[in-house]
């Protein structure tokens, strides 16, 4: 039985880490513009589950900016800082292929 294993010194480590190792792991990501396929909260949850850190403003620490239509000053700032820019179709390709 399982108690026998515990008595023998077996330890079970439980974590709540449900993230997936992916292209987005450990990247700081900013969403901007109007997204076609996802709401911003839904896409944030998906990115978090893929290991990304989603923030609301572009800085030199930002790794990736995902742009929808009518992206404004965040897109301009990303270009100015030389940050990788990805549209929603490219994002979906990275997430699901």
């Amino acid at each position: 039985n399982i108690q026998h294993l515990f008595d023998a010194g077996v330890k079970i480590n439980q974590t709540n880490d449900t993230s997936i190792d992916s292209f987005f792991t450990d990247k700081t990501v900013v969403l901007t513009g109007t997204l076609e396929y996802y709401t911003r909260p839904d896409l944030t949850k998906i990115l978090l589950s893929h290991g990304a850190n989603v923030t609301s403003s572009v800085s030199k620490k930002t790794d990736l900016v995902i742009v929808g239509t009518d992206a404004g000053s965040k897109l301009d700032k990303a270009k100015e800082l030389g940050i990788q820019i990805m549209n929603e179709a490219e994002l979906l390709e990275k997430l699901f292929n």
Side-chain angles (χ1 to χ4, degrees):
N1 76 31
I2 196 158
Q3 187 60 47
H4 179 70
L5 293 172
F6 291 140
D7 292 344
V10 173
K11 296 193 184 327
I12 297 175
N13 293 326
Q14 180 178 354
T15 66
N16 291 328
D17 182 12
T18 57
S19 66
I20 301 164
D21 191 26
S22 78
F23 170 82
F24 300 97
T25 300
D26 296 329
K27 285 192 167 62
T28 299
V29 178
V30 174
L31 305 173
T32 188
T34 304
L35 302 170
E36 182 178 351
Y37 300 105
Y38 289 96
T39 65
R40 202 169 296 219
D42 286 344
L43 190 52
T44 297
K45 286 179 191 173
I46 291 167
L47 287 166
L48 290 172
S49 75
H50 280 77
N53 175 31
V54 181
T55 63
S56 60
S57 60
V58 176
S59 75
K60 62 184 178 183
K61 294 181 181 180
T62 303
D63 297 301
L64 174 66
V65 175
I66 298 166
V67 299
T69 57
D70 299 322
S73 62
K74 291 179 187 177
L75 175 58
D76 295 339
K77 177 102 178 201
K79 287 178 181 177
E80 178 184 314
L81 294 173
I83 294 168
Q84 182 179 1
I85 297 165
M86 183 179 289
N87 65 33
E88 197 173 0
E90 293 167 321
L91 165 73
L92 296 176
E93 179 80 20
K94 287 282 190 193
L95 283 172
F96 301 115
N97 287 327

